[in-house]
Amino acid sequence: AAAPPPPPPPSGKAAGKAAGGGGDVAVGGAAAVGSAPGAEIAGYMPLRGDFDVEHDNDAELLVADMEFRPDDDPLEHALKLSVLRCYNAKLDERARRKRFVVDRGLLDYRRVAAREARRPREDRDVAALLRPFARFHSPHAHEALIAGVVAERGLRRRIRQLQEYRRAGLRTLD
């Protein structure tokens, strides 16, 4: 006769506890992965501190099949070393970009979104326009740049308003 089917696996928190996971708590009593910065970002693995798809993800293809042999021509040897230098430069750029994201706290999407939502609409627009320049200065200097551009826009708007008043014949604002 046929054997009875196995019981269905438990679901939800019970499944984690049944598997020895302890539900919402990770090993050692630390917070679950879902609460770690970057856990909600698709493609980021917070426990590894790594992205699923890295910058220039195919960089390894250049050196995957490369071999240095004793019978290599000196020119061929120099070419292979040049390819390795290019590959190292790509790895350095990859590390620089990862460090930028981590240092700026961009992995905590909810905190970044909340901070942006607190800004006035005009400030958000300016911040979005200046975002590509964030890599050239520190976070504090970038915020100062945004504040400076917002202040400049406000001053220009006020100057235009005062010029319109002058054209309308107003000499004082009393």
Side-chain angles (χ1 to χ4, degrees):
S11 62
K13 289 183 182 179
K17 289 180 182 175
D24 286 341
V25 178
V27 176
V33 174
S35 64
E40 68 274 356
I41 295 177
Y44 182 72
M45 298 168 278
L47 295 179
R48 285 181 56 191
D50 209 359
F51 292 94
D52 196 20
V53 177
E54 298 279 354
H55 169 71
D56 205 358
N57 206 38
D58 298 330
E60 288 78 13
L61 296 177
L62 294 172
V63 295
D65 297 326
M66 185 183 300
E67 291 182 17
F68 284 88
R69 295 187 202 120
D71 61 335
D72 279 349
D73 181 65
L75 190 57
E76 187 177 355
H77 186 76
L79 178 63
K80 288 179 181 179
L81 288 176
S82 175
V83 169
L84 282 177
R85 278 191 290 278
C86 290
Y87 174 67
N88 281 332
K90 290 180 182 199
L91 290 180
D92 290 343
E93 177 64 16
R94 185 182 290 174
R96 187 191 66 77
R97 287 174 181 241
K98 189 185 304 184
R99 198 170 43 251
F100 178 86
V101 169
V102 171
D103 291 349
R104 302 283 173 121
L106 300 177
L107 291 174
D108 194 354
Y109 178 75
R110 288 188 183 113
R111 192 182 82 215
V112 171
R115 182 178 47 202
E116 287 297 314
R118 284 192 299 266
R119 290 182 191 246
R121 186 185 58 78
E122 182 181 355
D123 291 12
R124 278 196 307 265
D125 295 344
V126 170
L129 288 171
L130 295 176
R131 194 167 290 130
F133 301 106
R135 62 185 168 171
F136 297 118
H137 17 69
S138 69
H140 180 70
H142 187 67
E143 286 299 319
L145 174 67
I146 292 170
V149 171
V150 167
E152 178 200 6
R153 282 185 168 190
L155 289 172
R156 287 181 184 273
R157 189 176 319 118
R158 180 67 174 151
I159 288 170
R160 278 193 303 275
Q161 181 184 34
L162 291 172
Q163 286 173 339
E164 287 179 27
Y165 291 164
R166 166 94 27 114
R167 279 193 292 275
L170 292 174
R171 295 283 181 213
T172 63
L173 294 176
D174 294 335

